[in-house]
Amino acid sequence: MSENFDVKLDGKSYLPDPSVKENSWIGDYETAYNEFLKDPEKHWENVAEELEWFEKWDKVREWDHPYAKWFTNAKMNITHNCLDRHVMNGKRNKVAIIWVGDDGKEEILTYRQLYREVMRFANGLKSLGVEKGDRVCIYMPFVPEQIIAMLACARIGAVHSVVFGGFGANALHSRIKDAQAKIVITADASLRRGKRIDLKTLVDEAVVNASSVEKIVVLRRMTPQMELFSEIEVDFYEIMEDVEKECEPEVMDSEDPLFILYTSGTTGPAKGIVHACGGYMVGTYYTTKNMFDLQESDVMWCTADPGWITGHSYIVYGPLAMGATILISETTPDYPDPGVWWSMIEEFDVTIFYTAPTAIRMFMRMGEEWPEKYNLSSLRILGSVGEPLNPEAFEWYYRVIGKEKCPILDTWWQTETGMHMLTTAIGEPMKPGFAGRPVPGIVADVVDENGEPVPAGTGGFLVIKEPWPSMMRTVYNNDERYRQYWSTVGNYYAAGDLAVKDEDGYIMILGRSDDVLIVAGHNIGSAEVESALVSHEAVAEAAVIGKPDPLKGDSIKAFIILRMGYTASDKLKLELVYHVRMNLGPIAIPSEIEFVESLPKTRSGKIMRRLLKAQELGQDPGDISTLED
Ligand code: PRX
């Protein structure tokens, strides 16, 4: 597929005050990029040298397409770099985490406190029999203990699999099963907009028929305290009580797995993306430092949840490896009022703010009067991630929040890439609608299906041509699926996104080339929603498409064929919505359901979602030669 997209490439560009480059880590982007091109391995080796390793590498990179190893035979532990390194080097009392709860409650942890908590919880996990290589599922609300749990796993070499607390029981069950998790760490409840959402009951449901699970660790934050079933349930803080205070970091090989994180695919269940210790550390450290230009005095607020890759890389590992102060928050952007986030920026002097276009568009709707009530002058750098930042939202973010002085980084990347891949480095001209150019260290391009570069202005597939340290190493239990990433478009890593490049090499993301939906910045497979729908007794067949939505990116529309004996009704629609909610969680709920008699299919029986979408949007359906009927 390579066709001409009618995209405006000559839109306005914004040039930030060039002084932002002056004392920045990255300096001049082109110089940095050309330096990298001269000696790619040296580029990454220099970054790795800034971190502490128990033993250095034999080789920076070993590339045996499609398998890469980075910093081979080096020994390290990411938590040594996120904690010990700072505690030993004068940052003992620096604030690591500032947390604000849904109810406004605050908690602060210095590096010393975080270090201590992580070590004790790590010993607690050991006391439950967790060993290096075991998988631990973390299904928690956004509280500091979630980060403590992640770091404690990394400390002892257990592989964490964080499942976003907004997912339902079935989604959790399939992730626990696929990873064969030994332990599930959860909490009694999460709080959202003043309401309590029970997590533990969902865990109870999810662990049925998941025989790998030996223990459930429960953080009890509510009163009265929830009863535990002592055979397999233990209290989060009780396991920290009678253990040693110190916990030496497990010596990890650079290539040992650090975590699994599930992401939605086109077909079948979610894919367990596996990241490796050394390369992931180097990649997230490098981009946090050079793209966000994180300095000693910064306060960084990334509004994602650690249940997504954005939280893994730019709340937890990247910023902590840099020894930064991070703000984290359980709050939603409009509760108790639409000024709550801006009030927190004022209150905590946030300097780097990283959020999603869907949030920015929501703020635009609520009006400028909300941010205008607060002093946002501490802000220095703004970021966006998850879906394209459309020019209107860019302009608003730049003017209303950044007061026309903050560079905006529209960062394109994926669960699979681990770190930022495309963006506009600070101090470079920003082009609204474009993610930007490759991060130094990354070779990206827009190509046709054979991997040949397409001319500027022509749409094509976004690919990464060379391996990079924080690339995924495999798909857990499905290496075949991993190899597909590197074999569908030439020999390159195919991101699954369509893009177009302009004359200056800036890349604009046009959307997915497959049936993955991006709803409010979250990646949801049409197949997952369909199989949740089909698991309802009334549904014979289901097809799901994404419809452009001014707020959410995509909104989900489902077409349903009912089983014999069931009749279409509004009540049934509500029941189906509820069913999806319970199975997959609130983010996967269809906003529209249409009952139909038949669905368009190919001769081989695949539902042609593309055709449904074209019909729905009144577009030309394109090639329909494979249509069965
Ligand atoms: O389609 C792209 C979109 O989100 C996908 C990756 O989703 P996920 O693995 O959940 O990671 C999201 C956070 C890194 C991509 O394939 N996407 C992400 N960032 C952008 C984007 N689309 C356009 N512009 C972006 N900045």
Side-chain angles (χ1 to χ4, degrees), residues 185-461:
I185 306 174
T186 189
D188 45 8
S190 65
L191 289 174
R192 202 174 153 79
R193 312 166 75 82
K195 280 202 214 108
R196 174 191 167 129
I197 300 160
D198 284 317
L199 287 186
K200 174 60 173 38
T201 43
L202 296 176
V203 174
D204 291 343
E205 224 180 287
V207 297
V208 174
N209 293 326
S211 54
S212 61
V213 177
E214 292 175 10
K215 291 276 183 216
I216 301 172
V217 181
V218 187
L219 171 73
R220 292 184 286 179
R221 56 193 302 230
M222 303 291 166
T223 39
Q225 233 181 21
M226 155 184 277
E227 287 285 327
L228 296 180
F229 173 62
S230 62
E231 299 293 307
I232 63 160
E233 297 172 0
V234 288
D235 179 84
F236 191 98
Y237 281 101
E238 273 166 27
I239 66 164
M240 295 164 77
E241 266 162 27
D242 297 318
V243 293
E244 295 277 329
K245 280 198 200 130
E246 309 276 319
C247 173
E248 285 297 314
E250 186 72 34
V251 176
M252 304 298 285
D253 187 273
S254 176
E255 281 299 312
D256 280 336
L258 174 63
F259 65 83
I260 304 172
L261 186 58
Y262 287 86
T263 186
S264 303
T266 326
T267 51
K271 298 167 285 188
I273 303 301
V274 179
H275 280 285
C277 295
Y280 178 79
M281 172 175 79
V282 169
T284 53
Y285 167 85
Y286 174 76
T287 43
T288 306
K289 178 174 173 182
N290 290 279
M291 298 299 123
F292 287 124
D293 189 43
L294 199 130
Q295 305 284 343
E296 195 49 48
S297 56
D298 277 316
V299 176
M300 174 156 172
W301 184 16
C302 163
T303 67
D305 183 284
W308 307 103
I309 192 68
T310 306
H312 279 58
S313 300
Y314 299 109
I315 292 175
V316 184
Y317 291 111
L320 296 182
M322 283 290 288
T325 297
I326 57 171
L327 172 65
I328 58 174
S329 178
E330 193 183 24
T331 52
T332 30
D334 59 346
Y335 179 85
D337 67 46
V340 55
W341 280 14
W342 314 124
S343 80
M344 281 161 53
I345 290 178
E346 174 182 292
E347 181 74 18
F348 298 105
D349 275 335
V350 172
T351 56
I352 303 174
F353 180 64
Y354 191 30
T355 193
T358 180
I360 299 167
R361 290 192 292 261
M362 193 180 94
F363 288 126
M364 284 171 75
R365 286 211 173 171
M366 291 187 282
E368 294 176 23
E369 60 271 26
W370 288 102
E372 270 160 18
K373 285 188 193 168
Y374 300 93
N375 178 356
L376 306 181
S377 62
S378 57
L379 288 173
R380 201 166 78 71
I381 285 165
L382 302 174
S384 166
V385 60
E387 57 182 302
L389 181 61
N390 49 302
E392 299 71 28
F394 178 100
E395 192 278 330
W396 190 90
Y397 201 25
Y398 186 66
R399 182 173 53 81
V400 180
I401 305 305
K403 314 292 178 205
E404 305 190 2
K405 72 173 175 65
C406 302
I408 293 182
L409 304 168
D410 176 357
T411 60
W412 175 88
W413 58 294
Q414 306 177 298
T415 306
E416 294 88 334
T417 70
M419 66 174 215
H420 297 157
M421 304 299 277
L422 303 175
T423 192
T424 300
I426 61 162
E428 297 302 314
M430 299 175 287
K431 303 193 186 192
F434 288 80
R437 290 178 287 178
V439 165
I442 296 304
V443 184
D445 206 352
V446 180
V447 301
D448 65 17
E449 58 270 307
N450 302 316
E452 296 302 325
V454 296
T458 303
F461 297 100

Side-chain angles (χ1 to χ4, degrees), residues 588-609:
I589 292 179
S591 7
E592 244 183 286
I593 290 183
E594 185 178 331
F595 296 109
V596 293
E597 294 296 323
S598 67
L599 290 168
K601 287 193 185 152
T602 62
R603 280 170 237 267
S604 61
K606 272 195 189 156
I607 296 171
M608 291 182 79
R609 300 189 186 97

